[in-house]
C-alpha cells in the first residue's frame, strides 16, 4: 500500500512539475505578477574581484556562457588537489562575475525585482552599470533586490552579479572549521519578478511579510481542521487603496473547499497584514508520511474587484505531537523517526544541483522507507523542501553552522539566516523541527528565541554533541544528540539522535523505547570535505551512497525497505563467490529459504541476535558449510508460500556494459541546466554485476547535451567503476529531442541508451498553474418553522398540507418548489427533533411526501450550466430527554411514525431529457454519531429556460423523506 501511494505521488508530481502550459488553466486568473526563470545564458568570468566589469562598455564577448545552477569551478574527486584543512582557506575562495541582459515589460507602472534563491556568499548586483545593493548574510538563504528605478521599460537591461566566496569571519559557517566544503557561485535559481504596485511582499522581508499559513487545529479523529492565512500586502502607489484579499483553499481535484475574504484600506507606502481564518469539515485529507495529501492556497489581491496580484502555496493538514509515552505522534499515530542527514553535494558539480537532482535525492530515500531527513548543516534548496512535501518526508532544518562560535557580527548574521530560513520554509508541511543551536555545540538561546518568535508552532532541537555543553534539550523542545558511541541522556525527556551510525544494528538501539524518538543517520551520500583521509584521491566522505547516489553495499542500505516498507521485499546482501562462509538476506518475509543450484540448503527465521532484538525484520543470517559455484536463490516465505525471490550467481569475467539512465519519477528538461545521471554497470555474461571491478568506462553522447567535466579534464570521462558502476552526468541542452549515450571499455561489449528531453517552460507561474474550480454552492436545511437550522446553512421552512416555494439569490437567482407528488396536501414538515450526528441539525428535520407517488423537488429559472445535487433522505427519530426544554412538544410529534420508504429512486428531468437513479438508501434513527448519513449524488444540466425536476419515489410506494440538499456548479 505504501508503495502504491508513493507511485501515485510520483505520477502527480511528474504531471504537475513539468506541465508545459502555454495558457493559464481554467479558473486561474492572469494578474500583473509575472515570474520568469532567468537561469539561462549568463556570461561568466572567474576572478578579478576589484575589476569594474559592471560597466556597460565591458567586453564580455570572450567570456564563457553558462547556465544556473553554476559553481565557480567544477571539482575533481580530490577537490582539484587542494591541500586545505577544515578551515578551507583557499579552495573555492574566489569570485565570479556574471552578466546577462534581461527584457523588462513595457508596463511603466509595474514593480521589478531580481530574486535569488542562493549565492555564495557575498553578492553585489548592478543594473545598467548602477549598483543596486549587496547581500552579505551568507550563501544558503534567499534574497531579492528592487530594481524598479534602474531598468529601461520595454528594453533589454544589463544585470551584473559579483558572487564573492572569499572567506568572511562574520558570515557563518565561516570562519570554520567545517566538516564540509563551502562551494561557490550562482548556484540556485534566479528569477525576474514583476508586480503591480499593490502586491504581496516577499516572505523574508520582515517578521510580518509575505504569506504565513498555519493550521491552529487539526483533528485526526473527526477529520476537520482550522487554517489561518496571514498575507501582507504592500501599497507602493502614491494614494491609499481599498484592497481585498481573497484566499481559496483548493483540493487535489482543483475544487475550492474554502474561500476567505477580507477588505482593508492600505495607506500609500504602507504594508498591511490581512488575517483570514476558516475551517474545513468535509472530506479533509490529512498529510502524512504514507499519504502526503496537499492543498493549494491561492491568494489574490483585488483592487476595485480586479485581481492585480496572486501567489499560490501548497500546504497540508497534519498534527504532530510529542510525549513520553508514545514519542512522536503524527495524526494520532506513534511513529519512529528513521532517516538520514544529507548535504547538497554532488560529484563534480558540488552544490550546483538542478531541482531534479534534489527531488531524486528525496525520492531515493523515500523508496527505502525512510520518513525523516536533516538538512546538514544549512538551509537547503526550495525544491528539496517541495519534494519532501510531495513525497511525505519529515524535515529537520537548521541555519548554517558547524562548530564555530563567532563574534557579535557573526551572531547577527546567524540570526538573520535563521529568520530567513524560517520565513522562507515555514509554509512547508514537511518541516517539523528547526535546529536552534550551533551544530555540535548545543542550543543557543538567541537562535531558539528568534526561531520561536518567527514560528511558535514548530519544535526546536538542541544540536547537541556528547562531548560539549549541557546534555539536555535546554531551552529547546527536543534533546537532539549526536550518537556515535557512549553519550549522556537522563532518560527523563525524549531524545532524538540527530546524527548517528547506519544500518540495522544502529536502528535497533532506538526501537526499544518511545522516549528514543528515532535515528537520523550520518549521512545519506558521500560529501566533499577536507577531513583527514586515507584516500586523498577521493575527498568525498562517508554516506550510505557515493557522491553519485549509488548505494554502497557494505552500508546495509538494502535492509531498510525490509524494516520500513510493507510490500514483499527481499535482497541478498552477499556476493556468491569462492570463500563465502555466510550469506545475509534482508527481507520482511516470515521465513527465507536459501537454495544453491536449485537445492535447498536452509530455511530460517530472522536472526535472534541481541543486536537485532528490537527490530521487526532482523536480517536473515545463513552459515554456508560448503561453497558451491553457481546460482544462489533466496525465497521469501509467507504462510510457507513464496511471495518474493532473488537470485545471484557466481561472478565470472567481465563481459559487457549496460546503461541505466536514472529517469524514474522525473523528466529531463531541455533548459540548459538539467542533469541526468546515467549508470554504466560492468557485468559478466550471466548478467552478474562485478562489484570488485574498477574498470574505466568511456562515455560519448549524441544530441543536444554535454558530459559534465568532459572538456575540463576532471576525471569524469573516462570514469572508473566503483562497486562495478561508473556514473556519468549528462547536462541537457536547450533543444528538446533525443539524446543517445554510449559507453565502452576495453575488452567489453559496449552499450547505448536513448533518453528524450522535453521543452522547458521558463514562465514559472504558467508552468506550475493548475485549474481552480471555484463552484458556487448552496446548502439548504429543510424543516418546519421551529427547526434547528444547521450553522452556515440556508433554512427552508414550510407548512403542512401544501407545496412550498422558496426564492434563492445564488446562481443568479432561482426558485425551488417541494411537494408531495400527486396531491400537495399530502406534504408534511417536521421541526426540531434532535438527531445526533454530523450535520444533525440539517438532516434531523425535513419534509415528508406522504403520497405513494413520493416527493418532487423542482428548480425554476436556474441559469444554464452543469450542476451537482446532493440530497439526504433520513427518517428521524426523537432523541429528546429530560434536559431538553422542548421535551413535551416533541412528545406530540406523530410524523416520524408514518411508514416510510427505506429505499427510493429518483427520476431526473433536465436539459438532457429523462434519466433515473435507483437504490438510494434511506437512513433511520436518532443517533447517527457512528453511522453517517448517506447523501446521494445527482448530476444534471440546466438549459437556463426549462424547469429541472427530481421526483423521488419509494420502491414500496411508502412516504419519502427529504431533509436537506446541497446544490453546486459542476464541471
Amino acid at each position: 500500500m505504501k508503495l502504491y501511494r508513493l507511485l501515485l505521488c510520483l505520477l502527480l508530481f511528474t504531471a504537475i512539475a513539468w506541465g508545459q502550459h502555454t495558457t493559464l488553466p481554467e479558473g486561474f486568473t492572469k494578474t500583473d505578477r509575472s515570474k520568469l526563470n532567468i537561469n539561462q545564458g549568463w556570461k561568466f568570468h572567474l576572478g578579478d574581484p576589484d575589476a569594474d566589469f559592471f560597466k556597460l562598455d565591458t567586453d564580455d564577448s570572450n567570456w564563457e556562457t553558462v547556465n544556473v545552477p553554476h559553481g565557480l569551478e567544477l571539482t575533481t574527486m580530490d577537490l582539484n588537489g587542494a591541500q586545505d584543512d577544515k578551515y578551507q582557506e583557499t579552495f573555492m575562495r574566489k569570485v565570479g562575475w556574471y552578466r546577462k541582459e534581461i527584457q523588462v515589460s513595457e508596463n511603466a507602472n509595474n514593480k521589478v525585482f531580481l530574486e535569488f534563491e542562493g549565492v555564495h556568499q557575498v553578492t553585489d548586483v548592478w543594473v545598467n552599470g548602477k549598483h543596486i545593493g549587496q547581500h552579505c548574510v551568507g550563501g544558503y538563504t534567499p534574497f531579492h533586490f528592487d530594481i524598479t528605478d534602474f531598468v529601461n521599460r520595454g528594453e533589454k537591461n544589463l544585470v551584473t552579479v559579483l558572487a564573492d566566496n572569499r572567506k568572511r569571519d562574520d558570515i557563518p559557517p565561516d570562519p570554520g572549521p567545517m566538516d564540509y566544503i563551502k562551494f561557490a557561485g550562482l548556484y540556485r535559481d534566479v528569477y525576474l519578478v514583476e508586480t503591480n504596485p499593490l502586491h504581496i511582499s516577499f516572505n523574508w522581508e520582515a517578521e510580518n511579510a509575505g504569506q504565513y499559513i498555519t493550521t491552529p487545529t487539526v483533528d485526526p479523529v473527526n477529520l476537520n481542521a482550522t487554517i489561518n492565512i496571514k498575507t501582507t500586502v504592500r501599497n507602493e502607489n502614491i494614494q491609499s487603496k481599498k484592497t481585498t484579499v481573497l484566499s481559496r483553499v483548493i483540493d487535489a481535484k482543483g475544487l475550492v473547499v474554502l474561500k476567505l475574504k477580507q477588505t482593508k484600506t492600505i495607506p500609500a507606502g504602507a504594508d498591511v497584514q490581512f488575517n483570514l481564518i476558516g475551517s474545513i469539515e468535509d472530506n479533509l485529507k490529512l498529510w502524512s508520511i504514507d499519504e502526503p495529501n496537499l492543498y493549494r492556497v491561492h491568494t489574490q489581491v483585488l483592487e476595485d474587484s480586479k485581481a492585480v496580484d496572486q501567489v499560490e502555496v501548497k500546504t497540508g493538514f497534519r498534527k504532530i505531537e510529542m510525549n513520553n509515552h508514545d514519542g512522536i505522534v503524527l495524526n494520532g499515530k506513534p511513529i519512529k523517526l528513521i532517516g538520514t542527514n544529507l548535504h547538497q553535494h554532488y560529484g563534480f558539480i558540488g552544490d550546483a544541483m538542478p531541482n531534479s537532482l534534489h527531488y531524486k535525492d528525496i525520492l531515493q530515500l523515500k523508496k527505502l522507507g525512510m520518513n525523516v531527513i536533516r538538512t546538514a548543516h544549512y538551509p537547503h534548496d526550495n525544491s528539496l523542501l517541495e519534494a519532501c512535501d510531495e513525497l511525505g518526508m519529515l524535515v529537520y532544518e537548521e541555519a548554517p553552522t558547524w562548530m564555530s562560535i563567532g563574534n557579535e557580527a557573526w551572531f547577527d548574521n546567524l540570526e538573520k539566516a535563521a529568520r530567513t530560513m524560517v520565513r522562507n520554509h515555514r509554509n512547508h508541511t514537511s518541516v517539523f523541527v528547526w535546529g536552534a543551536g550551533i551544530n555540535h555545540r548545543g542550543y543557543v538561546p538567541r537562535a531558539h528565541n528568534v526561531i520561536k518568535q518567527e514560528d511558535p508552532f514548530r519544535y526546536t532541537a538542541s544540536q547537541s554533541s556528547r562531548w560539549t555543553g549541557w546534555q539536555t534539550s535546554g531551552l529547546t523542545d527536543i534533546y537532539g544528540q549526536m550518537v556515535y558511541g557512549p553519550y549522556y541522556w537522563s532518560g527523563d525527556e525524549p531524545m532524538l539522535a540527530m546524527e548517528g551510525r547506519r544500518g540495522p544494528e544502529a536502528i535497533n538501539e532506538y526501537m526499544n523505547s518511545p522516549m528514543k524518538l528515532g535515528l537520523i543517520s550520518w549521512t545519506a551520500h558521500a560529501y566533499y570535505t577536507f577531513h583527514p583521509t586515507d584516500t586523498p584521491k577521493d575527498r568525498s566522505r562517508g554516506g550510505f551512497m557515493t557522491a553519485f547516489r549509488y548505494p554502497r553495499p557494505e552500508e546495509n542500505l538494502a535492509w531498510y525497505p525490509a524494516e520500513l516498507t510493507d510490500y514483499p521485499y527481499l535482497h541478498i546482501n552477499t556476493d556468491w563467490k569462492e570463500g563465502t562462509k555466510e550469506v545475509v538476506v534482508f527481507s520482511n518475509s516470515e521465513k527465507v529459504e536459501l537454495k544453491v543450484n536449485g537445492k535447498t540448503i536452509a530455511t530460517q527465521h530472522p536472526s535472534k541476535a541481541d543486536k537485532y532484538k528490537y527490530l521487526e525484520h532482523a536480517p536473515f543470517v545463513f552459515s554456508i558449510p560448503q561453497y558451491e559455484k553457481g546460482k544462489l536463490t533466496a525465497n521469501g516465505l509467507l504462510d510457507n508460500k513464496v511471495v518474493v525471490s532473488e537470485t545471484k550467481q557466481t561472478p565470472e569475467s567481465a563481459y559487457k556494459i549496460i546503461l541505466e539512465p536514472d529517469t524514474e519519477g522525473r523528466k529531463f528538461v531541455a533548459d540548459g541546466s538539467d542533469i541526468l545521471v546515467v549508470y554504466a554497470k560492468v557485468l559478466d555474461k550471466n548478467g552478474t554485476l562485478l562489484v570488485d571491478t574498477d574498470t574505466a568506462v568511456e562515455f560519448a553522447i549524441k544530441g543536444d547535451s554535454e558530459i559534465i567535466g568532459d572538456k575540463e579534464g576532471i576525471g569524469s570521462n573516462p570514469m572508473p567503476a566503483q562497486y562495478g558502476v561508473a556514473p556519468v552526468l549528462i547536462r541537457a541542452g536547450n533543444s528538446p529531442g533525443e539524446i543517445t549515450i554510449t559507453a565502452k571499455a576495453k575488452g567489453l561489449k559496449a552499450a547505448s541508451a536513448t533518453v528524450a528531453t522535453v521543452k522547458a517552460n521558463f514562465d514559472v507561474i504558467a508552468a506550475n498553474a493548475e485549474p481552480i474550480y471555484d463552484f458556487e454552492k448552496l446548502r439548504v436545511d429543510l424543516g418546519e418553522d421551529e427547526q434547528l437550522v444547521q450553522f452556515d446553512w440556508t433554512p427552508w421552512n414550510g407548512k403542512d398540507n401544501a407545496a412550498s416555494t422558496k426564492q434563492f439569490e445564488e446562481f443568479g437567482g432561482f426558485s425551488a418548489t417541494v411537494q408531495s407528488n400527486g396531491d400537495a396536501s399530502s406534504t408534511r414538515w417536521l421541526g426540531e427533533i434532535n438527531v445526533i450526528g454530523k450535520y444533525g441539525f440539517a438532516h434531523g428535520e425535513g419534509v415528508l411526501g406522504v403520497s405513494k407517488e413520493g416527493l418532487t423537488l423542482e428548480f425554476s429559472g436556474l441559469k444554464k450550466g452543469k450542476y451537482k445535487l446532493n440530497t439526504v433522505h433520513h427518517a428521524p427519530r426523537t432523541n429528546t430527554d429530560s434536559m431538553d426544554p422542548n421535551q413535551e412538544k416533541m412528545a406530540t410529534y406523530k410524523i416520524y411514525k408514518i411508514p416510510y420508504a427505506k429505499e427510493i429512486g429518483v427520476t431526473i428531468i433536465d436539459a438532457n431529457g429523462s434519466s433515473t437513479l435507483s437504490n438510494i438508501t434511506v437512513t433511520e434513527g436518532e443517533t447517527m454519531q457512528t453511522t453517517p448519513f448517506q447523501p446521494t449524488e445527482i448530476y444534471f444540466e440546466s438549459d437556463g429556460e426549462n424547469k429541472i425536476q427530481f421526483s423521488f419515489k419509494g420502491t414500496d410506494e411508502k412516504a419519502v423523506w427529504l431533509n436537506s440538499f446541497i446544490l453546486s456548479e459542476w464541471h
Side-chain angles (χ1 to χ4, degrees):
M1 190 63 172
K2 291 179 182 177
L3 179 62
Y4 166 78
R5 292 165 183 158
L6 177 59
L7 292 173
L8 181 61
C9 288
L10 289 180
L11 291 172
L12 290 173
F13 182 87
T14 302
I16 294 169
W18 291 283
Q20 300 301 318
H21 300 154
T22 54
T23 57
L24 294 174
E26 181 176 342
F28 203 105
T29 305
K30 182 175 176 57
T31 70
D32 291 334
R33 179 178 289 264
S34 63
K35 185 173 184 178
L36 297 178
N37 180 300
I38 56 170
N39 285 352
Q40 290 66 38
W42 291 81
K43 288 290 188 176
F44 171 71
H45 175 83
L46 180 64
D48 295 318
D50 299 322
D52 53 4
F53 294 147
F54 53 84
K55 290 186 175 179
L56 293 175
D57 60 358
T58 297
D59 182 6
D60 60 13
S61 59
N62 292 323
W63 289 19
E64 181 184 2
T65 301
V66 301
N67 298 322
V68 176
H70 180 261
L72 295 188
E73 296 176 289
L74 296 175
T75 182
T76 59
M77 295 309 296
D78 69 349
L79 294 174
N80 298 337
Q83 298 299 310
D84 287 355
D85 58 16
K86 290 183 182 179
Y87 288 87
Q88 192 182 330
E89 298 288 349
T90 66
F91 181 71
M92 293 285 175
R93 296 301 193 177
K94 301 177 181 180
V95 305
W97 291 88
Y98 297 84
R99 287 163 57 95
K100 178 182 173 68
E101 287 187 334
I102 59 170
Q103 182 78 33
V104 177
S105 74
E106 295 181 355
N107 188 340
N109 191 46
N110 270 6
K111 298 289 296 182
V112 186
F113 305 94
L114 287 173
E115 178 185 339
F116 299 85
E117 286 192 0
V119 184
H120 288 303
Q121 71 175 337
V122 176
T123 308
D124 282 275
V125 175
W126 294 262
V127 172
N128 295 327
K130 297 178 181 178
H131 191 248
I132 303 300
Q134 182 184 80
H135 178 260
C136 54
V137 174
Y140 297 103
T141 48
F143 57 95
H144 72 282
F145 290 109
D146 184 345
I147 62 172
T148 305
D149 296 334
F150 300 87
V151 296
N152 300 312
R153 305 290 177 162
E155 299 178 16
K156 290 184 177 181
N157 296 267
L158 178 66
V159 174
T160 305
V161 177
L162 175 61
D164 185 347
N165 200 47
R166 291 175 294 179
K167 196 165 186 176
R168 283 274 297 262
D169 287 355
D170 61 337
I171 298 180
D174 275 343
M178 296 170 291
D179 187 35
Y180 55 93
I181 298 302
K182 223 167 75 51
F183 285 96
L186 194 58
Y187 79 108
R188 289 182 182 170
D189 295 333
V190 187
Y191 305 100
L192 174 65
V193 179
E194 294 194 39
T195 71
N196 188 279
L198 187 67
H199 62 92
I200 298 169
S201 55
F202 291 89
N203 276 21
W204 49 81
E205 289 189 65
E207 185 179 342
N208 295 313
Q211 195 160 57
Y212 187 13
I213 300 171
T214 59
T215 52
T217 64
V218 176
D219 184 347
V221 176
N222 299 306
L223 291 178
N224 57 62
T226 304
I227 185 168
N228 185 204
I229 306 167
K230 296 177 180 178
T231 306
T232 297
V233 179
R234 177 170 297 157
N235 178 17
E236 299 197 61
N237 293 284
I238 59 174
Q239 66 276 345
S240 63
K241 292 289 182 180
K242 186 178 180 181
T243 304
T244 298
V245 165
L246 169 66
S247 288
R248 293 177 289 183
V249 182
I250 305 163
D251 69 12
K253 296 178 181 179
L255 297 173
V256 174
V257 298
L258 179 65
K259 184 157 50 177
L260 304 168
K261 184 186 293 188
Q262 189 176 35
T263 300
K264 295 183 178 183
T265 297
I266 307 178
D271 288 5
V272 170
Q273 187 178 80
F274 292 72
N275 192 343
L276 301 172
I277 193 164
S279 55
I280 299 174
E281 295 188 75
D282 297 321
N283 303 312
L284 179 69
K285 303 293 184 183
L286 297 177
W287 185 96
S288 70
I289 54 178
D290 294 327
E291 295 186 66
N293 297 297
L294 290 173
Y295 289 77
R296 297 150 53 202
V297 177
H298 186 92
T299 300
Q300 289 184 337
V301 177
L302 296 98
E303 178 187 351
D304 297 328
S305 301
K306 179 187 177 183
V308 297
D309 194 24
Q310 64 184 340
V311 296
E312 186 169 289
V313 174
K314 288 187 177 181
T315 194
F317 295 91
R318 51 100 173 125
K319 185 175 185 178
I320 293 185
E321 303 166 279
M322 179 177 64
N323 61 62
N324 292 0
H325 182 267
D326 297 310
I328 294 292
V329 180
L330 176 60
N331 300 331
K333 298 177 182 179
I335 62 170
K336 187 67 71 174
L337 299 173
I338 303 296
T340 181
N341 288 258
L342 71 159
H343 275 293
Q344 57 180 27
H345 288 188
Y346 224 98
F348 302 136
I349 58 175
D351 60 8
M353 295 169 56
N355 295 339
S356 59
L357 292 187
H358 289 294
Y359 177 81
K360 287 292 297 184
D361 277 353
I362 301 306
L363 173 60
Q364 190 175 29
L365 298 175
K366 187 66 182 179
K367 287 183 64 180
L368 293 165
M370 294 183 182
N371 60 23
V372 64
I373 63 159
R374 175 171 170 244
T375 65
H377 293 291
Y378 36 78
H380 280 217
D381 194 278
N382 290 348
S383 61
L384 184 129
L385 275 295
E386 291 164 4
C388 291
D389 291 342
E390 298 270 358
L391 295 173
M393 184 73 76
L394 291 167
V395 176
Y396 171 141
E397 188 168 36
E398 59 194 42
T401 67
W402 197 57
M403 288 175 58
S404 300
I405 298 177
N407 56 25
E408 187 63 25
W410 185 92
F411 270 104
D412 287 345
N413 278 322
L414 176 63
E415 176 181 330
K416 291 175 184 177
R419 289 187 184 276
T420 302
M421 170 187 73
V422 175
R423 294 169 185 172
N424 188 40
H425 288 159
R426 65 193 175 193
N427 294 328
H428 285 281
T429 307
S430 54
V431 177
F432 80 114
V433 174
W434 302 114
I438 296 174
N439 191 56
H440 293 224
R441 297 293 188 186
Y443 77 94
V444 174
R446 183 173 177 180
H448 167 80
N449 292 335
V450 301
I451 288 172
K452 283 296 187 180
Q453 185 178 41
E454 296 285 344
D455 180 5
F457 297 99
R458 286 181 174 86
Y459 296 121
T460 56
S462 64
Q463 309 278 93
S464 300
S465 66
R466 63 181 182 173
W467 43 268
T468 184
W470 192 21
Q471 302 295 293
T472 73
S473 60
L475 278 174
T476 64
D477 301 305
I478 296 176
Y479 177 37
Q481 177 63 282
M482 298 171 57
V483 183
Y484 294 102
Y487 63 99
Y488 181 85
W489 173 45
S490 65
D492 56 8
E493 65 173 338
M495 186 275 294
L496 173 63
M498 65 175 190
E499 287 187 25
R501 301 193 188 281
R502 305 178 285 270
E505 291 182 49
I507 297 298
N508 179 73
E509 296 300 315
Y510 297 87
M511 307 301 277
N512 64 339
S513 169
M515 296 278 279
K516 297 177 180 179
L517 302 180
L519 170 60
I520 309 177
S521 296
W522 187 262
T523 179
H525 320 113
Y527 61 100
Y528 283 112
T529 176
F530 282 115
H531 195 282
T533 179
D534 295 328
T535 57
K537 291 185 178 180
D538 185 353
R539 298 306 300 260
S540 67
R541 178 176 184 248
F544 281 112
M545 294 169 256
T546 69
F548 301 95
R549 281 41 176 181
Y550 190 78
R552 300 184 189 274
E554 72 272 17
E555 291 295 340
N556 295 325
L557 185 60
W559 166 78
Y560 283 79
E563 183 77 7
L564 303 178
T565 67
D566 56 9
Y567 59 91
Y569 175 80
L570 183 144
H571 172 75
I572 302 173
N573 204 50
T574 307
D575 292 321
W576 189 239
K577 57 187 179 182
E578 187 70 40
T580 301
K581 300 294 184 182
E582 183 180 86
V583 169
V584 177
V585 177
F586 301 140
S587 181
N588 51 15
S589 303
E590 290 178 349
K591 294 184 290 186
V592 168
E593 175 190 36
L594 199 66
K595 291 185 173 185
V596 175
N597 295 325
K599 184 185 297 184
T600 300
I601 63 170
T603 300
Q604 293 182 190
H605 288 91
S607 171
K608 300 296 184 183
D610 280 352
K611 62 184 179 180
Y612 302 136
K613 65 181 178 181
Y614 300 120
L615 300 178
E616 290 189 14
H617 299 288
F620 294 78
V621 182
F622 294 86
S623 295
I624 306 300
Q626 182 65 45
Y627 168 78
E628 180 183 319
K629 181 180 179 181
K631 290 185 178 182
L632 176 72
T633 299
N635 294 321
L637 305 179
L638 182 63
D639 295 329
N640 291 318
K641 295 180 180 179
V642 177
V643 294
V644 62
S645 183
E646 185 175 88
T647 297
K648 283 194 173 184
Q649 285 189 250
T650 302
E652 299 183 8
S653 300
Y655 174 72
K656 65 178 179 180
I657 296 171
I658 63 168
L659 283 176
E660 294 182 357
D662 188 12
T663 57
E664 182 184 9
R666 60 161 295 176
K667 298 289 186 181
F668 192 18
V669 182
D671 60 2
S673 302
D674 203 6
I675 293 173
L676 179 71
V677 185
V678 181
Y679 298 105
K681 296 186 174 181
V682 180
L683 312 179
D684 67 10
K685 65 181 179 181
N686 298 316
T688 298
L689 179 66
L690 303 180
V691 297
D692 295 329
T693 186
D694 59 358
T695 298
V697 179
E698 185 178 350
F699 298 93
I701 52 172
K702 182 180 180 181
D704 187 17
S705 59
E706 65 173 336
I707 295 173
I708 290 178
D710 204 9
K711 301 173 184 176
E712 291 80 3
I714 60 172
S716 65
N717 190 26
M719 183 72 178
Q722 186 179 17
Y723 306 115
V725 179
V728 65
L729 306 184
I730 309 296
R731 179 180 283 126
N734 295 300
S735 301
E738 289 192 343
I739 297 170
T740 299
I741 308 105
T742 59
K744 65 180 181 179
K746 186 176 181 179
L748 301 183
K749 185 178 179 181
S752 66
T754 299
V755 296
T757 56
V758 298
K759 184 179 179 180
N761 188 348
F762 301 113
D763 184 335
V764 176
I765 294 175
N768 291 282
E770 300 173 61
I772 302 173
Y773 302 117
D774 191 357
F775 296 143
E776 188 173 6
K777 180 182 291 186
L778 169 66
R779 301 195 295 182
V780 178
D781 180 354
L782 295 99
E784 188 256 346
D785 284 343
E786 295 185 355
Q787 72 160 326
L788 297 176
V789 179
Q790 188 70 45
F791 311 117
D792 301 322
W793 288 54
T794 299
W796 182 353
N797 301 329
K799 297 185 181 298
D800 289 347
N801 306 319
S804 178
T805 299
K806 183 174 177 63
Q807 290 292 135
F808 296 97
E809 296 179 355
E810 288 77 7
F811 311 105
F814 75 103
S815 67
T817 299
V818 64
Q819 68 175 49
S820 183
N821 285 338
D823 183 1
S825 65
S826 298
T827 308
R828 301 289 184 270
W829 291 79
L830 175 63
E832 178 187 357
I833 198 169
N834 296 348
V835 172
I836 292 175
K838 187 176 182 181
Y839 299 129
F841 295 152
H843 307 331
E845 306 97 1
V847 59
L848 182 69
V850 179
S851 164
K852 67 178 182 179
E853 298 300 322
L855 185 78
T856 293
L857 176 65
E858 187 176 82
F859 298 149
S860 299
L862 188 63
K863 69 178 181 181
K864 184 177 182 180
K866 294 182 179 180
Y867 296 86
K868 180 175 76 168
L869 177 68
N870 297 110
T871 60
V872 170
H873 306 273
H874 176 74
R877 296 295 181 261
T878 181
N879 194 57
T880 189
D881 61 22
S882 60
M883 292 295 293
D884 188 349
N886 295 321
Q887 181 184 17
E888 293 182 3
K889 181 184 72 174
M890 278 185 263
T892 66
Y893 288 165
K894 305 298 182 185
I895 183 173
Y896 65 84
K897 296 181 180 179
I898 297 174
Y900 69 92
K902 296 185 178 180
E903 185 179 293
I904 61 177
V906 58
T907 299
I908 305 115
I909 300 175
D910 69 348
N912 297 313
S914 178
S915 60
T916 59
L917 178 66
S918 57
N919 302 318
I920 298 172
T921 299
V922 180
T923 54
E924 176 194 312
E926 72 276 9
T927 303
M928 302 299 291
Q929 187 73 11
T930 57
T931 305
F933 302 99
Q934 297 185 27
T936 64
E937 284 194 356
I938 302 169
Y939 298 90
F940 69 94
E941 187 170 356
S942 172
D943 60 12
E945 298 178 0
N946 295 297
K947 295 179 179 180
I948 310 297
Q949 191 177 88
F950 308 91
S951 182
F952 300 95
K953 184 177 181 181
T955 56
D956 53 5
E957 298 187 344
K958 293 181 180 178
V960 173
W961 279 101
L962 175 62
N963 312 81
S964 63
F965 66 82
I966 301 175
L967 178 63
S968 61
E969 297 174 297
W970 205 245
H971 191 277

